Each structure stands twice: as C-alpha cells, then as structure tokens.
C-alpha cells in the first residue's frame, strides 16, 4: 500500500517506528511464545495483503459484506476436515481462542439450562492444566469451574469418573495443554461424558493446526478430535500454527443445535435485527480474509512442510538442552517443551537468557503432583534456523552470574517491597516470566490484587 506523501504522514510514521524500539522482533526466532513464526516471507506477504484489503469491512453484517460468508465457510471447513468432522459439524470464526472457548461455554450453559432448568449453577469439570480462558468464561457467564488433579501431566480419568454429577454442564480437556504440551486422555473421559450425557469440549487452540500434521508425518498423536464419539465441540486457532495474523480462531460444534446456543440474537430493538455469532459485534474482516489466504496458500502440503520444521527444531532443542542437564516434565508429544533442571536456579537462567536476547517462559511447579519448576518453550518453524544459536547461548546463560536470582526475588517478597518489584518489571530488570514464582509465596487473593495494581500502574 502506498502511503500519501505529506509531512504529517511522515511525522506519524516516524512515531510508529520509534514505538517499536522496546519490542522484540516477532520475526527473529528469539521468542518461544506469543508468536508462531513460519519463517516464510510469502506467507507473510499473502497474509498482510489480505489483512489490508479487508481491514475496513465489518463482520457485523455478512449480508452486506458477503465475502465474509465465503471466507468463513472455507476456514471453518478446513478446520472441520483437520478435526475429522462430518458435514454435520458446524462452526464459527472468532478473533481468538478465548472467544472460541467462551462460545463453547455459553453453548454448554444454555444447553444445560434448557435440559435442567436455571435453578442450579452449572459446573465445568477440567484438569488443573486447563487454560485460564475457561475460568474467565465461567466468571463472565456465571458457571463454576471444578479443577481436578492430574496423573503425571494429563487429566486423570478416574478423577473425572468420581467428580461428574448432575450439576456438570461441560467437561473441558486440552490437546495439548499449555503448561506441559501433553494431550489429555480424551477417549477415556469421553466414555464417561457419553454415559452421563454431558458435553465435552477439547481445547485444541494450540494443537489444532499442528498435531494433525504431526500425525500425517508419522508422529504418534493421541486421538482427541471428532473421531472420538463423545467430543461435542473443539476450538482451534488459525493465529497459532495456522500462521495467520493475530485475531483468528474457530470453534466447531458436532451438532448444529449447539451452535444455535452459542449465537446471540435480539429482534426487539428498533434499530436492526442484532445477530452475533461471536462475542464481539463489529469485527474487522481482515483477520478472517488473512486466515483464508494463508490456508489456501499453504494447503495440507505446506502445513506438513512447516510441521516437519517444527519437529526438527523441537528435537534439536530438546536434545541440546538435555545435554545441558535439562529433563522433560512429561512425555514430549507436541510442539511444547517443558523442561526442568534441579541443579540450576531457573530464575537466574531465564534472566540470563533474556539478557542474551532470547525470551523463554518460566513456570512454577505443581508440587502436589510432583512437578518441579520448569522452563517453557513453544517451538515454531523459524526455530529450526536458530536452534544452534539458542543452544550456544543457553550454555553461556548457565555459566553467567544472573542479575536476578531466586534469592534476590524472595528477598523483595520478604521485605514487602512490591514497589521495587513493579519498578523492576517496568524497567525490564526483572522479567515478567518470574511473576508466577512471586505469586507462589503469597495468598491467592493478595496475588490477584497485586497483579491488578501492577497493571493499573503499568498503563498510567
């Protein structure tokens, strides 16, 4: 797109350039979360062209912008085929995984109310590893979440069998879960859901566009999709391993009746008939068009090629870190690595890695489940090109004296010097990945209030 030449335009564009200074380059391969970089300039070109061409069109009324009908049918159809859904499976395009999950939860709540009435507060049963989006959806929509213990790093089938009762509106599982990258035993728990006539949602936001291609490449992948009879809905994100710009997800429903429960309609207002397939009303068509464009450009063979790069990068990084003393928390069966090293101060390690220009997550362990603190890496195709450089710097990070260590962090907590903590976070001296370890030392309600205060101060 050619920008008009004027001094005012140039002035604004210069502001945009200056604002980037503190950002990590999402194309660099130095991030192990937040972005899913294909490392393919043609993918980026196709996506950004579609994003710009359709940026001004509004998904609020698909009878006006009829291209939205075409694009949504196509992106939902491709997702449905990956999840082995029949033609009866329907879905909706959303701007993110949380929105997809919220629609699945709304559908389950309203389905439950129609069957059981509105006197009970319905429950969601989920393992402790479930994504917080389910807790957020329950908070917004008035449900309770019962989080059950895990067996090793996966949902425990027996725990679900014991916990399920007449108040359960939805069972939620992951493929894979975010913390450890393992796939819950969907087949075993689906039998329980079928027996009790309870809906079962699989959160495949992370794995939906990578695990099917792993399977095509011969990798063993536990079955989690519509091939499992009891699965009633699935969420999967185009803007993760679909490699499209942010703001692209799909929720699929086995039964069209369930999709109806996810839709909001108002015909009583004088302005216009209000029909929302998603949580938001006005939404840009650009992310939908970009999802279609990338999906059409890559196709199954393109996605397989990128999945092969992810596997290559994952295996190289895993074995390289294993050589430095790290071990996997659970079975390695997705694009996620969760690794621990009992001889290393992980806060210091993550701090040093960041100093060397890499961004690796830090997760607090689940001590009641025997899971230690660990580092978290989500592998993208671009990491195949930088794996050797990362492993070299990881070795250096282990040898460096850290600016921030577990001892110094707990010293701040013990002194109650939370202003110092906030300042360190704002200035980048303390990496935000250590926040889970900070919160581990204080009561949950205090932690929630602390986080809210930090956010308010950050955006002042």
């Amino acid at each position: 797109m050619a920008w008009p030449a004027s001094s005012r335009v140039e002035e604004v564009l210069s502001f945009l350039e200056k604002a980037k200074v503190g950002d990590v380059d999402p194309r660099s391969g130095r991030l192990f979360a937040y972005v899913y970089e294909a490392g393919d300039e043609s993918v980026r070109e196709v996506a950004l062209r579609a994003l710009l061409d359709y940026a001004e069109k509004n998904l609020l009324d698909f009878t006006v912008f009829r291209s939205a009908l075409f694009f949504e049918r196509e992106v939902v159809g491709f997702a449905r085929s990956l999840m082995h859904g029949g033609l009866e499976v329907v879905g909706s395009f959303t701007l993110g995984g949380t929105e997809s999950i919220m629609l699945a939860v709304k559908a389950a709540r309203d389905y439950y109310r129609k069957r059981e009435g509105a006197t009970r507060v319905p429950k969601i049963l989920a393992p402790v590893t479930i994504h917080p989006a389910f807790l957020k959806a329950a908070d917004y929509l008035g449900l309770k979440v019962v989080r059950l213990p895990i067996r090793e790093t996966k949902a425990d089938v027996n725990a679900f069998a014991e916990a399920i009762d007449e108040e359960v509106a939805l069972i939620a599982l992951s493929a894979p879960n975010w913390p450890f990258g393992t796939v819950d035993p969907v087949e075993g728990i689906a039998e329980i859901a079928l027996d009790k006539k309870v809906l079962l949602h699989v959160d495949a936001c992370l794995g939906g566009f990578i695990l099917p291609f792993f399977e095509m490449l011969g990798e063993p992948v536990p079955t989690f999709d519509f091939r499992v009879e009891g699965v009633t809905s699935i969420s999967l994100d185009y803007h993760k391993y679909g490699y499209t710009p942010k703001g692209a997800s799909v929720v699929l429903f086995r039964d069209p009746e369930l999709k109806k429960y996810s839709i909001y309609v108002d015909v009583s207002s004088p302005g216009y008939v209000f029909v929302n397939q998603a949580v938001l009303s006005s939404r840009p068509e650009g992310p939908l068009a970009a999802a279609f464009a990338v999906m059409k450009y890559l196709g199954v063979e393109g996605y397989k090629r990128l999945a092969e790069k992810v596997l290559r990068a994952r295996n190289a990084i895993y074995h390289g870190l294993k050589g430095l003393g790290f071990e996997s928390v659970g079975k390695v069966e997705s694009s996620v690595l969760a690794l621990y090293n009992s001889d290393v101060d992980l806060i210091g390690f993550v701090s040093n890695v960041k100093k060397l220009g890499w961004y690796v997550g830090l997760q607090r362990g689940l001590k009641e489940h025997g899971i230690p603190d660990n580092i978290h890496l989500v592998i993208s195709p671009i990491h195949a090109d930088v794996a050797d450089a990362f492993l070299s710097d990881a070795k250096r990070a282990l040898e460096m004296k850290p600016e921030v260590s577990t001892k110094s962090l707990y010293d701040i907590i013990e002194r109650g010097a939370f202003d110092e903590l906030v300042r360190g976070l704002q200035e980048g001296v303390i990496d935000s990945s250590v926040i889970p370890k900070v919160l581990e030392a204080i009561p949950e309600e205090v932690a929630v209030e602390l986080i809210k205060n930090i956010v308010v101060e950050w955006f002042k």
Side-chain angles (χ1 to χ4, degrees):
M1 179 177 180
W3 296 100
S6 76
S7 59
R8 184 61 176 161
V9 168
E10 291 302 321
E11 182 182 352
V12 172
L13 294 180
S14 72
F15 280 129
L16 295 179
E17 286 300 315
K18 289 174 184 174
K20 293 179 184 177
V21 171
D23 291 345
V24 182
D25 180 0
R27 306 178 186 184
S28 65
R30 289 180 166 263
L31 280 161
F32 287 95
Y34 309 120
V35 296
Y36 299 77
E37 174 57 43
D40 184 332
E41 284 303 315
S42 296
V43 169
R44 195 182 334 277
E45 182 181 351
V46 164
L48 295 182
R49 173 65 183 271
L51 194 67
L52 281 175
D53 280 356
Y54 288 85
E56 297 169 293
K57 297 184 178 181
N58 191 343
L59 293 178
L60 174 63
D61 194 336
F62 45 80
T63 67
V64 174
F65 301 106
R66 297 186 69 85
S67 54
L69 285 168
F70 169 72
F71 290 146
E72 184 152 339
R73 286 173 185 149
E74 291 290 308
V75 300
V76 167
F78 186 66
R80 178 179 61 213
S81 68
L82 289 181
M83 297 296 101
H84 295 91
L87 293 178
E88 76 282 358
V89 171
V90 295
S92 298
F93 177 82
T94 74
L95 294 184
T98 295
E99 189 176 13
S100 291
I101 287 166
M102 195 165 288
L103 292 180
V105 171
K106 180 188 181 303
R109 183 199 66 181
D110 292 357
Y111 175 82
Y112 178 89
R113 284 178 175 174
K114 184 171 182 180
R115 191 181 68 180
E116 303 289 342
T119 56
R120 289 175 173 159
V121 177
K123 295 190 296 193
I124 300 172
L125 285 189
V128 294
T129 48
I130 203 68
H131 194 277
F134 287 92
L135 282 70
K136 180 179 179 179
D139 186 50
Y140 277 38
L141 296 169
L143 291 85
K144 294 184 293 187
V145 179
V146 179
R147 282 183 279 184
L148 301 177
I150 55 175
R151 188 177 182 84
E152 296 179 345
T153 60
K154 302 187 179 192
D156 184 344
V157 177
N158 292 333
F160 279 80
E162 293 171 8
I164 195 165
D165 59 28
E166 65 279 0
E167 293 182 345
V168 177
L170 182 68
I171 288 173
L173 301 173
S174 305
N177 61 53
W178 175 262
F180 310 122
T182 49
V183 179
D184 285 328
V186 174
E187 291 182 292
I189 295 173
E191 291 181 12
I192 299 166
L194 274 172
D195 182 57
K196 297 295 185 179
K197 296 182 172 59
V198 171
L199 302 179
L200 191 159
H201 181 84
V202 175
D203 171 19
C205 288
L206 180 57
F209 282 95
I210 188 74
L211 292 180
F213 301 108
F214 278 8
E215 189 174 355
M216 292 177 199
L217 292 168
E219 284 286 302
V221 176
T223 307
F224 64 87
D225 53 27
F226 287 121
R227 288 173 290 183
V228 181
E229 187 182 351
V231 172
T232 53
S233 58
I234 302 175
S235 51
L236 56 165
D237 288 355
Y238 268 93
H239 66 207
K240 290 190 172 75
Y241 288 103
Y243 307 110
T244 76
K246 291 297 180 188
S249 179
V250 166
V251 59
L252 300 172
F253 298 100
R254 185 186 289 273
D255 186 342
E257 286 298 311
L258 284 177
K259 173 166 174 170
K260 290 181 186 178
Y261 287 118
S262 76
I263 298 171
Y264 181 81
V265 176
D266 174 66
V267 296
S268 65
S269 300
Y272 55 92
V273 177
F274 191 67
V275 182
N276 286 169
Q277 288 195 98
V279 175
L280 299 179
S281 299
S282 286
R283 298 179 292 154
E285 193 177 334
L288 172 58
F292 168 79
V294 173
M295 177 265 291
K296 289 297 285 185
Y297 172 75
L298 285 173
V300 170
E301 290 306 312
Y303 280 117
K304 280 173 65 177
R305 173 175 53 80
L306 292 174
E308 189 279 328
K309 285 192 73 176
V310 171
L311 281 173
R312 186 155 30 98
R314 183 198 73 181
N315 293 341
I317 291 171
Y318 173 53
H319 291 296
L321 289 175
K322 198 172 169 67
L324 296 177
F326 288 86
E327 296 291 341
S328 181
V329 166
K331 187 177 180 182
V332 177
E333 59 183 18
S334 71
S335 55
V336 174
L337 293 175
L339 307 171
Y340 70 97
N341 187 332
S342 302
D343 297 325
V344 170
D345 181 345
L346 291 184
I347 287 178
F349 174 74
V350 168
S351 174
N352 285 345
V353 166
K354 182 182 178 182
K355 197 172 181 181
L356 295 172
W358 303 88
Y359 290 77
V360 171
L362 174 66
Q363 298 184 136
R364 59 177 174 175
L366 294 172
K367 291 181 174 55
E368 64 275 25
H369 296 287
I371 295 174
D373 295 348
N374 54 91
I375 59 170
H376 187 265
L377 302 95
V378 181
I379 309 300
S380 292
I382 189 67
H383 293 129
D385 302 330
V386 299
D388 289 344
F390 170 71
L391 291 169
S392 175
D393 279 347
K395 185 175 186 297
R396 284 179 61 197
L398 289 171
E399 298 165 351
M400 291 164 54
K401 182 177 179 180
E403 289 183 23
V404 180
S405 64
T406 301
K407 183 178 182 302
S408 64
L409 200 60
Y410 279 122
D411 178 59
I412 292 173
I413 296 167
E414 287 172 10
R415 289 188 285 109
F418 293 116
D419 288 346
E420 183 180 333
L421 173 66
V422 173
R423 191 165 57 252
L425 288 166
Q426 289 174 328
E427 294 172 356
V429 176
I430 300 175
D431 183 47
S432 59
S433 64
V434 307
I435 289 177
K437 285 299 294 176
V438 175
L439 303 184
E440 186 179 50
I442 55 181
E444 185 175 340
E445 63 275 11
V446 177
V448 169
E449 189 62 23
L450 173 63
I451 289 294
K452 289 179 178 179
N453 287 337
I454 289 173
V455 171
V456 169
E457 288 298 318
W458 225 325
F459 281 88
K460 272 186 179 177

